[in-house]
Amino acid sequence: MISIVGIGNAASKIAEKFRATKNYNVYTLNSNVERKTKYKYKLKSYDSPEEYEKNIPDLSKFFSSIDDHVQLFVVGSSHSSNYSLGILQQLQGKKIDIFYIQPDTELMTGIPKMLDKIVFGVLQEYARSGLLNSFTPISNIMVERSIGNIPIKTYYDKINDSIFSTVHYINYFTHAEPEIGMTAKPLEINRIRTYGILNVKNLQEKWLFELDMERDLCYYLCINKDRLENEGGLHRKIVDMLKQKPKNVFRRISYAIYETEHQDFGLCVAHTNAIQQYT
């Protein structure tokens, strides 16, 4: 089991999506919680970042049954992100993946932009030092581009659905046995990563964050069962396309192919050890 943790109202809405499957225990911490339960915790709101840092809640009892593997979602520009470092300290000893959701930074000003820049930098340093298993930035703008035109009324719900399904399927691929191929385990130092949506026809990526200095790249292809059984030469075609991608001693490429009863789809993951610049 993996424990999903959402800190803040926006991140909690992403975390809630994981309740649709039985593979996760979902914990949400935000100011909209009306009554504290085993998996929901009400966070207080304050006027300044300093007040948040001075009032980190004691979550030892709330997290008493949390799983050893934790995937934590946080929106950097939210005031609740001030809680994130204090909450991480209470999860020491756990395998922690941070999913950092970044809004449109060009339209941010004042405290939200300051928070986004600070938390973005600090959490990357945590990952590089080994305190985190991974740090995965995801840009709302780039998720929107990967989806296409989204109505305003369902804007965030569609984006949250896409983030959930991408993270969930990467989790699934990580633990499932492929039909053929094998994704390489990234080097220990490559703890900063991002995900992408893959066009299975031409293996073109739509990355969910512009990652600098990609190192280990893993391609996950989910192919319809009928094609896997009847389409000769499919494997060679995929391998040939992968061989056309840029690679060198620092940029390694691996892949794995899985079966699905549904339409073909693909995902990809890029890893690096380079601190990403805030833009």
Side-chain angles (χ1 to χ4, degrees):
M1 293 286 285
I2 299 175
S3 284
I4 302 295
V5 177
I7 300 177
N9 296 325
S12 290
K13 289 181 180 179
I14 299 173
E16 289 287 354
K17 297 288 185 180
F18 289 82
R19 295 193 194 277
T21 72
K22 298 180 180 179
N23 306 87
Y24 307 99
N25 291 312
V26 179
Y27 296 79
T28 55
L29 303 89
N30 59 77
S31 61
N32 287 339
V33 171
E34 295 182 358
R35 184 173 62 87
K36 179 183 174 183
T37 67
K38 181 179 179 181
Y39 294 109
K40 295 184 177 182
Y41 190 97
K42 185 174 182 62
L43 291 175
K44 293 181 179 180
S45 298
Y46 299 97
D47 294 328
S48 69
E50 292 76 17
E51 288 181 279
Y52 282 89
E53 294 171 5
K54 292 177 182 177
N55 292 279
I56 302 296
D58 181 355
L59 300 170
S60 54
K61 186 175 181 181
F62 182 64
F63 285 147
S64 61
S65 300
I66 202 165
D67 295 287
D68 289 334
H69 189 183
V70 177
Q71 294 187 329
L72 188 149
F73 290 79
V74 61
V75 177
S77 61
S78 70
H79 281 73
S80 297
S81 66
N82 287 283
Y83 283 125
S84 58
L85 301 184
I87 290 175
L88 283 172
Q89 290 178 357
Q90 299 178 60
L91 292 171
Q92 288 184 7
K94 304 296 183 181
K95 176 183 176 182
I96 302 173
D97 298 318
I98 293 285
F99 290 88
Y100 187 88
I101 313 304
Q102 188 174 62
D104 189 343
T105 57
E106 291 185 15
L107 298 180
M108 284 195 300
T109 58
I111 291 178
K113 191 173 184 69
M114 177 192 71
L115 290 175
D116 191 50
K117 184 175 183 179
I118 292 173
V119 179
F120 182 74
V122 171
L123 290 178
Q124 287 189 81
E125 294 292 353
Y126 273 34
R128 284 198 65 184
S129 68
L131 293 174
L132 302 176
N133 181 61
S134 67
F135 174 82
T136 308
I138 295 176
S139 164
N140 275 347
I141 295 300
M142 297 190 71
V143 175
E144 178 184 1
R145 290 173 184 168
S146 75
I147 297 172
N149 296 326
I150 309 175
I152 290 177
K153 281 281 190 179
T154 57
Y155 181 82
Y156 284 112
D157 194 51
K158 294 293 185 183
I159 285 180
N160 293 347
D161 278 337
S162 181
I163 293 172
F164 154 68
S165 62
T166 302
V167 174
H168 169 65
Y169 274 110
I170 293 295
N171 287 339
Y172 168 76
F173 293 145
T174 302
H175 295 93
E177 188 72 23
E179 296 293 322
I180 196 169
M182 180 180 294
T183 54
K185 184 178 179 180
L187 297 177
E188 188 74 16
I189 61 172
N190 292 337
R191 294 178 180 268
I192 298 171
R193 64 184 184 179
T194 197
Y195 293 170
I197 311 300
L198 189 67
N199 184 324
V200 177
K201 293 182 180 180
N202 57 20
L203 301 193
Q204 291 300 304
E205 311 92 343
K206 289 184 178 179
W207 294 108
L208 304 186
F209 187 87
E210 292 184 7
L211 201 69
D212 293 331
M213 296 179 65
E214 300 165 344
R215 297 304 191 196
D216 293 299
L217 289 93
C218 304
Y219 291 84
Y220 301 89
L221 294 90
C222 220
I223 307 295
N224 181 267
K225 180 181 179 181
D226 183 66
R227 290 190 69 195
L228 292 179
E229 291 178 346
N230 300 300
E231 188 172 332
L234 178 60
H235 180 241
R236 174 49 52 194
K237 179 181 177 181
I238 291 171
V239 170
D240 286 345
M241 285 191 289
L242 287 170
K243 287 182 177 179
Q244 298 302 312
K245 293 189 174 295
K247 56 184 178 294
N248 54 46
V249 67
F250 300 109
R251 195 177 194 270
R252 307 185 306 168
I253 292 176
S254 60
Y255 75 99
I257 299 174
Y258 301 82
E259 177 187 304
T260 180
E261 299 287 344
H262 308 291
Q263 291 184 341
D264 300 351
F265 70 94
L267 299 170
C268 43
V269 183
H271 305 260
T272 186
N273 65 329
I275 292 292
Q276 304 299 295
Q277 298 302 309
Y278 186 83
T279 56

